[in-house]
Amino acid sequence: EVVRAIAAAMRRPALVPVPPAALRVALGGFAEEVLSSQRLRPEVLAEHGFAFEQPDLDTAARWVTSR
């Protein structure tokens, strides 16, 4: 899902699934953040006053690729 969002933000196709090993090579230590499940619940964070700078995956992907 993350790869598809980033590909869409870059206006490139995401035709082939990326194997975890390739992500580890390309992203280094950050790959585990992408590959693992954090089980975060946005509603709980919001209840405690946390405000997301990028409220959804598509907005975050556009932000990351605009740098």
Side-chain angles (χ1 to χ4, degrees):
E1 189 175 347
V2 172
V3 171
R4 280 191 293 258
I6 291 172
M10 296 177 70
R11 295 186 174 102
R12 300 280 189 260
L15 302 174
V16 179
V18 178
L23 280 178
R24 286 184 182 98
V25 169
L27 300 176
F30 183 66
E32 293 310 315
E33 298 294 325
V34 173
L35 295 171
S36 65
S37 173
Q38 299 298 318
R39 296 192 185 267
L40 297 176
R41 295 183 43 210
E43 64 275 3
V44 173
L45 291 171
E47 288 172 6
H48 288 88
F50 184 85
F52 290 94
E53 289 182 26
Q54 288 78 34
D56 57 58
L57 183 56
D58 293 330
T59 304
R62 285 192 302 273
W63 178 79
V64 167
T65 58
S66 70
R67 297 177 144 225

